[in-house]
Amino acid sequence: MASPPYSLPPVLTERWSAVRWPATAGRRTLTRLALSAPYVVLAVWLQARGVHSLPNAQLERVAGSLSRPGATVGAVTRAFPPLGPAIARLLPGGPGTLGIVGALGAGAVLHLCWERLVRASVPRWLIVLLLAGVGGSPIFWYNATGNLVGFVGLIAFVVAAAGLLDFLYLGRTTGGYAAGLSMAFAVLCDPAALVYALSMAIAIPFLGWERFRGEPIAILSAVAVVVFPTVAAVTAWAFLEWRFTGTVNHSLLFASGAFGFPAGLAGGLRAAASHVGWELTCAPVFAVGAVSLLPRRPMAAVGLLAVPLDLVLTAWFGLHAQTGQGIVLLSIVGLMAVPSRPNRIIAAVLAVEAVAGAVCTVALSDVGGTAHLLRAMGL
């Protein structure tokens, strides 16, 4: 007699709505375009004034060097992560066009946060305030229009996180597949996503503790679904590099100072931890979201600690430029961690923290090229 089919443990009772918002694909697309419009206008205006960010200009130079007639296959295979130069090579118009692409991505990520908050039954007035606090930050403007590689990697990570939550809490297998593929895409865009992928794998048992408790096979299955595409992508690229160059060194062209540790291991770690502490101060919604999870899902709140740990490690390893990207990431993850149907006290605290975070990022916006952007805008 055939054995009964094995399935994942039953889905947790969850207050999130499983319905997409808006209901139709056309309306969702229009919503994303509407949210992108201010950033597209900003990118076009900056391009007209000849204001280009350093990260996008560097990306354009790398793409140009790899497309020269004298570039060898070996040089191309050493360009890890590869998607950044590929995107820059395919798009005409130089750094200005890269800014417009990033601006379109800003609308997509804001819609993803908006949809998550609607499905969590968060009051409309609080949704508007939270999205304005994140999307209205000068650091968000700069990363959206001036740091395409990092911002696309961040978007892919957020999409992966949203898919993971659907997989763990709503039982959507497609969410797990979306999480795995998005994480692989993020790694092929931004070297810092290698650390994100590892921490996401570590966080899965904590995030799904109530569902997977006592089911180690289910935990391993969930981790495999999310991690396998990333492992496959990195391994395949390593094989190509070995095949054409004889070595596997992953040049990390977008993180030229990676693993340099100029201040020493201990000194660099202290500096990285201090910097991430400042980023947490400018993204208080993350702390509120994590604390509000404690009464309902204490293990999930512990799993959220993987995000600041990611930022400490990537800053310590020197895997990305200091453009305030960590503040954006913490803020977005904080929005996704807002509890469903928050009571009045939590809603009031979230409202205050949204305003405080926006004020902090404006007052302390001398990060990377953000101050340069504000000066170009006359602010």
Side-chain angles (χ1 to χ4, degrees):
M1 189 173 75
S3 60
Y6 178 79
S7 61
L8 288 175
V11 182
L12 296 172
T13 301
E14 180 56 57
R15 296 180 182 177
W16 283 345
S17 169
V19 179
R20 296 298 307 272
W21 182 90
T24 65
R27 290 181 180 179
R28 289 195 293 272
T29 301
L30 290 176
T31 301
R32 293 168 190 143
L33 291 175
L35 291 171
S36 300
Y39 306 101
V40 172
V41 171
L42 175 61
V44 172
W45 183 73
L46 290 173
Q47 183 178 16
R49 296 193 61 176
V51 178
H52 301 304
S53 67
L54 181 60
N56 279 355
Q58 289 177 336
L59 175 61
E60 191 69 25
R61 284 197 296 271
V62 171
S65 66
L66 296 178
S67 61
R68 290 171 187 163
T72 64
V73 176
V76 173
T77 55
R78 281 193 295 267
F80 183 87
L83 289 185
I87 294 173
R89 182 70 183 92
L90 293 174
L91 294 175
T97 304
L98 301 181
I100 294 175
V101 173
L104 293 173
V109 74
L110 288 177
H111 166 258
L112 185 64
C113 294
W114 194 348
E115 182 180 31
R116 178 66 52 177
L117 293 172
V118 169
R119 291 167 64 183
S121 300
V122 176
R124 293 181 180 178
W125 65 268
L126 183 57
I127 292 177
V128 172
L129 200 57
L130 290 172
L131 291 178
V134 174
S137 164
I139 293 177
F140 187 89
W141 304 345
Y142 176 75
N143 279 276
T145 61
N147 182 21
L148 182 66
V149 168
F151 196 67
V152 170
L154 184 147
I155 293 172
F157 176 76
V158 172
V159 172
L164 179 63
L165 294 178
D166 282 350
F167 178 53
L168 295 178
Y169 298 147
L170 299 180
R172 287 180 171 172
T173 306
T174 54
Y177 295 148
L181 294 175
S182 298
M183 201 68 254
F185 186 86
V187 168
L188 293 177
C189 285
D190 186 359
L194 287 166
V195 181
Y196 299 162
L198 176 62
S199 65
M200 182 174 285
I202 296 173
I204 286 176
F206 296 96
L207 295 175
W209 181 261
E210 295 89 345
R211 183 182 177 191
F212 294 142
R213 186 169 43 193
E215 294 282 351
I217 295 178
I219 293 177
L220 291 175
S221 299
V223 171
V225 167
V226 174
V227 172
F228 176 77
T230 297
V231 174
V234 174
T235 303
W237 194 263
F239 172 78
L240 286 176
E241 185 175 355
W242 169 81
R243 175 65 181 80
F244 289 103
T245 69
T247 61
V248 181
N249 55 25
H250 296 317
S251 301
L252 298 175
L253 294 182
F254 303 108
S256 57
F259 303 104
F261 305 110
L265 291 177
L269 181 58
R270 286 194 298 268
S274 175
H275 179 75
V276 173
W278 172 79
E279 290 181 326
L280 283 167
T281 302
C282 291
V285 68
F286 175 84
V288 176
V291 171
S292 62
L293 272 179
L294 280 173
R296 300 182 182 183
R297 293 198 178 92
M299 297 302 291
V302 173
L304 283 180
L305 296 179
V307 179
L309 178 60
D310 285 343
L311 297 176
V312 171
L313 292 177
T314 53
W316 187 31
F317 296 156
L319 289 178
H320 59 68
Q322 301 297 341
T323 61
Q325 182 180 335
I327 297 174
V328 179
L329 178 61
L330 288 168
S331 299
I332 292 175
V333 173
L335 293 184
M336 300 182 71
V338 170
S340 58
R341 297 190 178 96
N343 58 40
R344 292 182 179 179
I345 295 177
I346 294 179
V349 173
L350 285 168
V352 171
E353 296 297 350
V355 175
V359 172
C360 179
T361 55
V362 172
L364 302 175
S365 58
D366 192 10
V367 179
T370 311
H372 175 64
L373 171 62
L374 294 177
R375 286 194 296 269
M377 297 174 64
L379 300 178

